[in-house]
Amino acid sequence: MIIGIGTDLCDIRRIETALERHGERFMKRVFTEIEIGRAVRKPHRTASSLAMAFAAKEACSKALGTGFRRGVYHNTMGVVHQPSGKPDMVLIDGALKRLEELTPTGKVASVYVTLTDEYPLANAVVVISAD
């Protein structure tokens, strides 16, 4: 059973501008260490990688039904990748609490994410299901 769906489109140029203006301060405020580490490994794709993570966080906040409030913030969600490259979302603190509130008793929630980019845009879709 689907309990939430969210999508977001992020302009990579916006992330490039934020990186130029605020650099590490911006990265540490919005992204997890794992997201930053993955992004900086390929300097020519740093902004693109961060834009996809940003879009995933936005999409996840929509799927949780709150936007960025009620304990759901950029730092409570993070994109991680399996060895195959498949992206996953990790939720902590307020985002995890919200997921638990949405999950019907006796069900187990799963968060699915897909990411793509084609300069100048990055896109993410998040689906939350309970089985």
Side-chain angles (χ1 to χ4, degrees), residues 10-95:
C10 179
D11 190 327
I12 297 167
R13 296 169 297 193
R14 189 171 141 217
I15 300 299
E16 289 170 338
T17 299
L19 289 170
E20 288 169 8
R21 286 186 183 160
H22 307 290
E24 193 171 314
R25 182 171 160 244
F26 166 69
M27 285 195 293
K28 288 188 174 186
R29 183 173 182 181
V30 176
F31 302 101
T32 67
E33 290 298 321
I34 291 171
E35 291 166 330
I36 294 168
R38 182 176 176 87
V40 300
R41 276 194 299 246
K42 294 181 180 175
H44 65 286
R45 298 214 10 100
T46 297
S48 177
S49 180
L50 293 176
M52 286 188 288
F54 190 91
K57 292 166 188 270
E58 292 274 351
C60 191
S61 74
K62 293 170 186 175
L64 290 169
T66 59
F68 289 111
R69 62 183 187 279
R70 294 184 51 201
V72 177
Y73 304 110
H74 287 98
N75 63 356
T76 63
M77 299 172 277
V79 176
V80 296
H81 289 81
Q82 295 180 4
S84 66
K86 178 187 177 294
D88 282 322
M89 288 295 293
V90 173
L91 308 181
I92 62 168
D93 301 332

Side-chain angles (χ1 to χ4, degrees), residues 107-123:
K107 302 282 185 180
V108 176
S110 298
V111 180
Y112 301 96
V113 61
T114 185
L115 307 169
T116 191
D117 67 321
E118 181 68 37
Y119 194 85
L121 300 172
N123 181 57

